[in-house]
Amino acid sequence: MKRIIIFTLSLLVAVGLSTRIWYVNTHVDPQFTPPKTEIYQMGEWVELDGDFQFSADESTKGYAVKLENIEFMSSKDYAARYGLELSAFYSLDDTLPEFVADLTLNFRNTGNDEGYIQFVYYCIYSEKDLRFYPLADVNALLHPEMSDKLGFKIYPGTESGPNHFCLISAVEATGAVTGNSKNFPKYLQISMTPTRKVIEIPELNIS
C-alpha cells in the first residue's frame, strides 16, 4: 500500500512538472520573449513605429529618435559642463559613478497626439553586459519638464533637440568600465519590444 501511494505521488509530481513546462513553453507573453534586433547608426533618424520600451501605452507611431553625439567623462567634468552640483551624482552609498555618458539626442513627432518617450528605460550596453543607465536626479535637473519616470511628449509636427541626457556606468552591476573598452562597440537601446531598436556607438575613447 505504501509503495502504491509513493508511486501515485511521484506520478502526480511528474505530470505536474510536465504540464508546467508545456504551459511555459507555449504560453509565454511575446513581450517577454527575445525580440528581433535592428541596428542603426549615429546621425540616422530611427522611426520607432510603435516599438516601445516598457508599455504599449507609449504609443510611439510617428516618433523618431536620432543620436547626434555621445561623450564619456567624469562626474566632475559633467557637472562643470552643465553647472550642476556634484552631489547630484552621488549614489546611496556615497560613491560617484566611474563614468558619465553625455548623450545628445533629437526627437521628432510627425503627428501623434497620444504618444510619449519613456526615457527611463534607455540604456547603453555591450555584448559583455557593460551597462549605463539614466541618472534620474541629473536628468530631472537638465529637463524639469520630464515626469518623475523620465517620460516626455513631443508636440505633433515638431522636432525637439539637440537635447542632452545623462547616463552613468553601473559598476556595482556590471564591473568597472576602465580596461573593458575591448568589449565594445556599445549600443544605445531606444526600444525594447516588439522590435528591439538600437543605435551603434562608434569606438569609445575611454582610458
Side-chain angles (χ1 to χ4, degrees):
M1 184 62 151
K2 186 176 180 181
R3 290 182 178 178
I4 294 175
I5 292 174
I6 292 174
F7 173 78
T8 302
L9 289 174
S10 299
L11 183 61
L12 289 173
V13 169
V15 171
L17 286 173
S18 299
T19 302
R20 178 173 175 79
I21 291 170
W22 168 82
Y23 183 86
V24 169
N25 286 339
T26 57
H27 292 76
V28 174
D29 188 329
Q31 179 174 336
F32 300 105
T33 60
K36 171 188 174 184
T37 298
E38 294 179 355
I39 300 175
Y40 298 86
Q41 299 304 310
M42 193 164 73
E44 176 182 3
W45 279 109
V46 183
E47 300 290 340
L48 293 179
D49 196 29
D51 295 309
F52 55 90
Q53 291 281 27
F54 180 72
S55 168
D57 290 342
E58 292 164 41
S59 183
T60 62
K61 277 195 176 294
Y63 272 80
V65 184
K66 178 165 62 170
L67 176 62
E68 297 280 7
N69 191 37
I70 183 168
E71 294 182 65
F72 293 84
M73 62 194 70
S74 68
S75 303
K76 184 177 179 180
D77 288 342
Y78 194 97
R81 172 176 287 188
Y82 296 106
L84 304 172
E85 295 292 333
L86 191 58
S87 58
F89 293 85
Y90 279 96
S91 63
L92 294 176
D93 61 357
D94 290 330
T95 60
L96 289 170
E98 185 186 11
F99 278 95
V100 175
D102 183 9
L103 268 65
T104 306
L105 292 166
N106 278 359
F107 300 91
R108 73 182 180 197
N109 176 3
T110 58
N112 183 336
D113 293 318
E114 304 292 333
Y116 63 95
I117 296 292
Q118 186 67 289
F119 189 76
V120 72
Y121 293 103
Y122 275 50
C123 72
I124 303 170
Y125 73 97
S126 76
E127 294 175 355
K128 299 295 185 181
D129 240 5
L130 199 60
R131 292 180 183 267
F132 284 68
Y133 297 100
L135 183 55
D137 289 348
V138 170
N139 285 298
L141 291 171
L142 293 172
H143 303 284
E145 73 279 5
M146 297 175 88
S147 70
D148 57 353
K149 293 184 179 180
L150 302 186
F152 58 92
K153 290 178 174 286
I154 306 297
Y155 288 111
T158 67
E159 183 177 320
S160 174
N163 302 283
H164 293 276
F165 296 90
C166 172
L167 276 68
I168 61 170
S169 56
V171 173
E172 70 284 356
T174 58
V177 178
T178 304
N180 284 341
S181 58
K182 65 180 182 299
N183 294 340
F184 297 95
K186 294 196 305 187
Y187 303 95
L188 171 66
Q189 175 183 282
I190 60 174
S191 75
M192 191 180 301
T193 189
T195 301
R196 188 183 202 183
K197 291 179 177 175
V198 302
I199 299 174
E200 188 171 12
I201 297 170
E203 186 175 347
L204 301 176
N205 181 19
I206 294 181
S207 57

